[in-house]
């Protein structure tokens, strides 16, 4: 599907009926919307964790209404240890994801060596619809791509399940 036909995250999660799975596999992202917050965190160690702040409001509102419909939203992160600065920043903000209703787990990369993983981060909606997340070498967003290919969906489901089963819940993961 061409990039222009990739729905926004609101349409994607609003269309979910029972599950929304997100697998993140990079140690750093250079997403422009996070740059000021990340720079502030690097300088001060302070992270915005107000779920109703302007920065978080879109996401927390979306997750809350998704979860309220009975959709289970899970996020798994494969991370190198020791964590990169970005992964530590992301971990510091995960309390907001959880407060909104997401379940979040971390899998140290060394424990993922024998898992067949797709080449890109993804969202898997209801076990059938994939939103691939593409990034440049420095972590900037390079758009998304949609797929409903059954073999790709099966790979994503299998990979996510394997990661989830080994991963450590946020509250128990000590970076």
């Amino acid at each position: 599907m061409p990039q222009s036909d990739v729905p926004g995250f609101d349409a994607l999660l609003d269309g979910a009926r029972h599950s929304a799975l997100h697998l993140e596999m990079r140690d750093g992202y250079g997403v422009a919307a996070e740059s000021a917050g990340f720079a502030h965190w690097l300088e001060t160690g302070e992270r915005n964790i107000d779920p109703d702040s302007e920065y978080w409001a879109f996401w927390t509102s979306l997750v809350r209404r998704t979860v309220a419909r009975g959709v289970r939203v899970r996020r798994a992160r494969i991370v190198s240890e020791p964590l990169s600065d970005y992964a530590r920043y992301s971990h510091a903000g995960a309390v907001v994801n959880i407060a909104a209703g997401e379940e979040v787990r971390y899998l140290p990369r060394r424990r993922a060596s024998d898992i067949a993983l797709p080449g890109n981060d993804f969202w898997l909606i209801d076990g059938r619809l994939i939103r691939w997340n593409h990034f440049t070498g420095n972590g900037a967003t390079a758009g998304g791509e949609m797929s409903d290919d059954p073999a790709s969906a099966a790979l994503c489901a299998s990979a996510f399940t394997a990661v989830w089963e080994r991963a450590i819940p946020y509250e128990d993961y000590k970076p």
Side-chain angles (χ1 to χ4, degrees):
M1 183 178 287
Q3 269 184 263
S4 60
D5 294 338
V6 175
F9 289 108
D10 52 348
L12 192 67
L13 268 64
D14 282 341
R17 287 183 244 134
H18 59 80
S19 66
L21 311 177
H22 185 37
L23 183 60
E24 298 176 353
M25 299 181 282
R26 297 179 57 93
D27 286 321
Y29 296 86
V31 179
E34 294 180 331
S35 62
F38 182 48
H40 179 77
W41 179 83
L42 283 172
E43 192 174 305
T44 66
E46 297 170 1
R47 174 85 201 257
N48 174 356
I49 55 170
D50 175 3
D52 298 315
S53 68
E54 183 179 345
Y55 175 81
W56 285 104
F58 168 81
W59 187 253
T60 57
S61 173
L62 175 58
V63 171
R64 286 174 181 149
R65 74 177 180 251
T66 302
V67 171
R69 290 193 330 272
V71 176
R72 189 174 181 196
V73 180
R74 294 185 287 166
R75 178 186 304 259
R77 292 177 167 150
I78 298 174
V79 293
S80 298
E81 293 179 319
L83 296 182
S84 68
D85 287 342
Y86 183 87
R88 289 186 306 113
Y89 167 78
S90 181
H91 184 269
V95 294
V96 178
N97 299 87
I98 292 165
E102 287 186 57
E103 298 171 58
V104 180
R105 291 187 182 183
Y106 289 81
L107 180 64
R109 190 171 309 282
R110 70 181 182 280
R111 295 184 55 207
S113 297
D114 61 347
I115 299 174
L117 298 167
N120 293 291
D121 290 9
F122 64 85
W123 279 91
L124 179 63
I125 306 300
D126 297 330
R128 62 169 188 76
L129 182 64
I130 307 161
R131 183 190 196 279
W132 299 110
N133 295 330
H134 299 297
F135 297 92
T136 66
N138 66 3
T141 300
E145 180 182 355
M146 299 300 296
S147 174
D148 60 2
D149 174 62
S152 296
L155 171 63
C156 290
S158 172
F160 188 89
T161 298
V163 168
W164 191 258
E165 288 174 353
R166 291 183 191 183
I168 303 163
Y170 170 81
E171 57 275 5
D172 296 329
Y173 183 70
K174 307 299 180 218

